[in-house]
Amino acid sequence: MLELSQASIIEKNKIATSGVWLLALEAQIPGNPLYLVNNTENLTLGGQEYTAFPFSLEDITEDSKELPNVKLTVSNVTGTIQRYVEENNG
């Protein structure tokens, strides 16, 4: 499992904070990487604009015999993700 920094753990455990935790995702699609943020509005992180898009990630599973694995669930109401899958043959 990926480890949080000590500063992140302290911030996460606060009862109240001035910030929020958002999940950002970079998906490598041939010729057109997707930058998504699970938020209601677009967000710029590190100079890169992330598009607001509903998605969820389950916990990362790993053992000593296989590579780490994570399940990504993405909304496809608009057909955007389906178009990328079809253009790249699955």
Side-chain angles (χ1 to χ4, degrees):
M1 171 152 336
L2 298 175
E3 299 290 326
L4 291 175
S5 69
Q6 189 66 29
S8 296
I9 292 170
I10 291 169
E11 187 67 23
K12 174 188 74 71
N13 291 335
K14 288 183 179 178
I15 292 174
T17 182
S18 61
V20 297
W21 287 81
L22 295 173
L23 194 56
L25 173 72
E26 177 182 345
Q28 293 296 325
I29 297 175
N32 191 12
L34 288 176
Y35 298 93
L36 307 175
V37 63
N38 193 11
N39 196 20
T40 56
E41 58 187 39
N42 293 351
L43 182 67
T44 301
L45 298 169
Q48 178 63 53
E49 179 156 5
Y50 286 73
T51 303
F53 205 89
F55 68 88
S56 64
L57 287 174
E58 291 184 6
D59 288 337
I60 297 171
T61 59
E62 58 184 323
D63 60 34
S64 60
K65 298 177 184 175
E66 296 180 10
L67 293 172
N69 192 8
V70 65
K71 182 177 179 183
L72 168 66
T73 305
V74 183
S75 172
N76 191 38
V77 173
T78 63
T80 303
I81 301 301
Q82 182 177 349
R83 180 174 50 89
Y84 284 120
V85 170
E86 289 173 354
E87 286 175 358
N88 292 285
N89 297 320

